Amino acid sequence: MTNISAIIQARMGSTRLPGKVLMKLNEDTVLSLLIKQLKYSEFLTEIIIATTTNSEDDVIEEFAKSNNIKLFRGSSNDVLDRYYQCAKKFSLNHIVRITADNPLLDPKILDNIIKFYKKENFDYVNNVTKRTFPYGTEVEIFSFSVLEHMWKNAKTLFDREHVTPYIHNNPDKFSSKCIENTIDYSYLHWTIDFIEDFKLVQALTIKIKNRPILLKNILELFVKEPELKKINQITSKN
């Protein structure tokens, strides 16, 4: 199988927590920590940031340049088009969709999903459609041809904004597989949506010394310090 590339969708204009992708966690920003986590993957061949053409995202371009990360700038609302044009520009074969508000994405979870995708003949492999992994560990992988099919056929605003709903809504057109965890941890949440989520992730990055930070590290810490889960308990239910 040819190259597998991660496209990170990132923008400063979050409605719930503006500027969150470049907020300082510890020695890292949210985005730089995510990239460090991804670099531990055995299978990713490259990492690309896909941001918008909005002037507020000039700082993301500066970040990419200063960290020697490939960058693409495209549509703010049509994220599907942004992904497609990015993949086309860099001649990508297989794409892993990553969002910048998941800085604690476990590279072992990522690699297990990529490994399955490489071995089996599915159009789309994910750990999202039947959720058993924590919020903040989402991985979706598909080929350029699948991306192009979505780009040509997805018409609704929701499909265009969220990239992959067209696959979910057209199961007859794609062969899909959702990877499930042996234990259901879907009640856990460290996607950064609100300031409380950011505070939890900040605490985890300070208290956990291992790099990369793995799911098992977080679970072990929650056993020792269960009160940490209360930091974002209210917002994680929203």
Side-chain angles (χ1 to χ4, degrees):
M1 182 176 283
T2 44
N3 293 352
I4 295 178
S5 311
I7 299 180
I8 304 171
Q9 62 187 73
R11 64 189 180 99
M12 295 297 285
S14 164
T15 50
R16 292 179 289 198
L17 190 58
K20 62 183 176 183
V21 298
L22 292 182
M23 287 171 67
K24 290 284 285 183
L25 282 166
N26 192 4
E27 71 272 10
D28 290 300
T29 62
V30 170
L31 186 53
S32 66
L33 178 59
L34 170 59
I35 290 167
K36 283 182 180 178
Q37 293 277 107
L38 293 178
K39 283 183 175 178
Y40 282 97
S41 168
E42 293 178 32
F43 300 115
L44 280 183
T45 48
E46 61 186 331
I47 299 167
I48 303 164
I49 298 170
T51 192
T52 83
T53 52
N54 297 348
S55 58
E56 65 189 7
D57 289 324
D58 290 350
V59 288
I60 294 179
E61 181 171 351
E62 290 164 18
F63 168 88
K65 284 178 179 174
S66 62
N67 289 278
N68 202 28
I69 303 287
K70 290 180 180 178
L71 180 88
F72 177 82
R73 300 189 72 166
S75 173
S76 175
N77 296 320
D78 190 343
V79 187
L80 177 54
D81 182 68
R82 197 195 315 168
Y83 262 79
Y84 175 72
Q85 301 299 342
C86 175
K88 196 174 176 184
K89 177 184 176 182
F90 291 108
S91 302
L92 306 187
N93 302 115
H94 301 275
I95 297 107
V96 179
R97 178 178 177 240
I98 305 288
T99 58
D101 49 9
N102 291 342
L104 295 182
L105 177 59
D106 183 335
K108 289 189 180 296
I109 294 173
L110 170 64
D111 280 353
N112 283 338
I113 293 170
I114 294 175
K115 201 185 300 180
F116 182 90
Y117 176 83
K118 289 175 73 168
K119 184 182 173 188
E120 305 293 338
N121 191 29
F122 284 93
D123 294 322
Y124 171 65
V125 179
N126 70 91
N127 64 345
V128 177
T129 48
K130 188 175 180 185
R131 188 178 289 277
T132 53
F133 286 90
Y135 287 81
T137 61
E138 291 84 350
V139 175
E140 299 174 275
I141 183 168
F142 41 82
S143 67
F144 178 79
S145 61
V146 168
L147 177 59
E148 188 166 55
H149 184 96
M150 290 191 289
W151 179 76
K152 286 178 178 176
N153 293 284
K155 304 300 180 189
T156 71
L157 289 174
F158 187 83
D159 284 354
R160 309 290 305 185
E161 184 183 358
H162 297 282
V163 185
T164 53
Y166 183 80
I167 297 177
H168 309 155
N169 295 329
N170 293 274
D172 55 317
K173 292 184 171 69
F174 306 95
S175 59
S176 301
K177 175 68 176 179
C178 180
I179 304 299
E180 296 179 45
N181 197 35
T182 50
I183 300 171
D184 184 357
Y185 290 122
S186 59
Y187 62 92
L188 295 172
H189 184 287
W190 45 82
T191 291
I192 298 179
D193 289 322
F194 299 96
I195 192 64
E196 291 81 5
D197 304 319
F198 174 80
K199 288 176 180 176
L200 172 63
V201 173
Q202 194 169 46
L204 295 175
T205 60
I206 291 169
K207 289 174 179 288
I208 298 170
K209 303 306 178 188
N210 300 56
R211 294 296 183 270
I213 297 174
L214 305 176
L215 172 59
K216 68 173 187 176
N217 302 137
I218 299 173
L219 296 175
E220 286 166 3
L221 181 61
F222 281 166
V223 170
K224 291 177 190 170
E225 301 186 41
E227 70 280 0
L228 285 170
K229 286 186 281 188
K230 296 177 183 175
I231 294 175
N232 70 339
Q233 204 165 50
I234 296 171
T235 57
S236 66
K237 290 176 182 174
N238 291 347

